[in-house]
Amino acid sequence: QNQQTEQEDKTEVESSPADDSEVATPDDNSAQVGESSLIATPKTSFEYFVEKTNKTVTINRFLGDEINVVVPETIDGYPVTYVDGFTDSNVESVVFSKNVATIGENAFENCKYLKTIEFKSSSFEISPYAFYGCSSIEELILPEGLNRIGSYAFADCTSLKRLHIPASLKSYGHRMFEGVSIEYLTFAEGVETIGDPSDSITLAFKSSKTATIKSVIFPASLKTLHYTIGFSYVDEIIFEGDLPSCEHLRSMVTTNTVIKYKKGTKGWDDRILRGYKLEEIN
């Protein structure tokens, strides 16, 4: 009886994916998770690698049927730094713990029921296609600490309407919001440059005649706005500071766009704005 109990409690499997790592999966008995279970746990829900050289854990596959997932801070005493393997799952919400540094490529692709994402890390990145096709996400508040979003990371998130970009984000992936009809877009105070002049096809936020952005808010800290950000049809743009450098404004918005600027800010008599609708606001 004691030997049987010890076998059931064992979670580590000796087939290693790398020279100095171990893979762990649930045993047959612990893997039976009821539908009422809400929070995923290491013994029931994840296949993971223990990287003993780096002393970190990589979650490489989600095995549970929980709908609300909280990624644990540690497994087997090691911090969970990399999350992957949720593709096509039925999760509705996920909370990434403070140790997560990378959300893997295609990690949550086509999770069509995923509505809520919460990030707790102070420094992390989102890999290409990470949330591609997550069509139930309506609002996305990306926190300070996010430093990179890969190409197409949130492409085809067709319900996404409200988006907040943090000041810490320095790398905008190619077409990271392709196929998304964002309506309200804000950039956090501290953002100084938006867009990349070295890549003329970086259309991070694409709008069209049939999918206009209703409102974009640029912070007072903004100094340079490159045309490569990919705006085309925007109802209104609100500048909270002085007019930034934006040589290619005419390639970004139409003359139907209402440009609003705060009272007391400077640069709004620039000839680049001739023909545009300007409105001073308090």
Side-chain angles (χ1 to χ4, degrees):
Q1 181 65 37
N2 290 339
Q3 290 179 347
Q4 182 179 357
T5 302
E6 290 175 1
Q7 180 64 31
E8 289 176 354
D9 287 340
K10 184 178 182 181
T11 60
E12 291 194 349
V13 178
E14 295 302 326
S15 57
S16 297
D19 292 338
D20 197 18
S21 63
E22 294 181 357
V23 61
T25 58
D27 59 67
D28 292 339
N29 292 333
S30 65
Q32 302 300 316
V33 181
E35 291 183 358
S36 62
S37 182
L38 294 179
I39 298 179
T41 62
K43 283 192 174 183
T44 62
S45 304
F46 303 123
E47 178 181 277
Y48 56 91
F49 297 142
V50 178
E51 301 287 354
K52 290 192 172 179
T53 300
N54 299 325
K55 297 183 178 180
T56 61
V57 169
T58 291
I59 291 176
N60 73 307
R61 189 155 63 105
F62 179 60
L63 302 172
D65 57 6
E66 298 89 350
I67 59 173
N68 301 313
V69 175
V70 177
V71 175
E73 291 185 12
T74 62
I75 295 179
D76 296 343
Y78 298 100
V80 177
T81 60
Y82 194 103
V83 178
D84 207 344
F86 283 75
T87 302
D88 293 318
S89 68
N90 292 327
V91 295
E92 294 183 8
S93 70
V94 60
V95 178
F96 296 99
S97 64
K98 65 181 183 180
N99 294 325
V100 174
T102 304
I103 299 167
E105 189 166 339
N106 304 99
F108 289 82
E109 183 174 352
N110 292 327
C111 290
K112 298 185 181 301
Y113 302 102
L114 182 60
K115 298 177 182 178
T116 305
I117 308 171
E118 183 178 348
F119 306 94
K120 293 189 174 182
S121 178
S122 60
S123 179
F124 68 103
E125 63 180 44
I126 298 173
S127 301
Y129 294 91
F131 295 94
Y132 183 95
C134 293
S135 54
S136 293
I137 300 173
E138 297 180 1
E139 181 177 29
L140 189 59
I141 300 175
L142 298 172
E144 293 301 326
L146 176 62
N147 50 62
R148 187 179 77 87
I149 297 181
S151 300
Y152 297 93
F154 292 94
D156 281 356
C157 292
T158 51
S159 296
L160 182 58
K161 301 301 180 186
R162 295 179 178 271
L163 174 66
H164 176 78
I165 300 294
S168 58
L169 182 62
K170 304 301 181 185
S171 177
Y172 294 83
H174 177 62
R175 297 183 184 270
M176 63 184 186
F177 292 98
E178 176 78 359
V180 178
S181 299
I182 295 169
E183 294 183 359
Y184 300 93
L185 175 62
T186 61
F187 292 84
E189 181 62 32
V191 171
E192 295 187 358
T193 302
I194 298 175
D196 184 354
S198 65
D199 184 358
S200 62
I201 60 171
T202 299
L203 301 177
F205 311 95
K206 191 175 182 181
S207 55
S208 66
K209 288 182 179 180
T210 57
T212 62
I213 298 175
K214 293 187 184 334
S215 179
V216 179
I217 300 177
F218 292 126
S221 56
L222 185 64
K223 304 299 181 186
T224 306
L225 180 61
H226 294 293
Y227 73 100
T228 53
I229 203 65
F231 298 128
S232 297
Y233 295 88
V234 183
D235 289 344
E236 71 170 20
I237 296 178
I238 300 173
F239 289 91
E240 296 188 327
D242 297 341
L243 177 67
S245 172
C246 48
E247 296 178 4
H248 302 279
L249 184 65
R250 296 185 187 279
S251 300
M252 294 168 44
V253 296
T254 70
T255 53
N256 290 324
T257 301
V258 178
I259 298 176
K260 298 181 179 181
Y261 60 95
K262 291 290 185 73
K263 186 176 181 179
T265 57
K266 303 175 182 178
W268 305 105
D269 56 351
D270 194 302
R271 63 181 183 178
I272 195 175
L273 298 172
R274 290 177 184 174
Y276 286 90
K277 300 175 181 178
L278 299 178
E279 181 180 334
E280 185 180 76
I281 58 176
N282 292 320

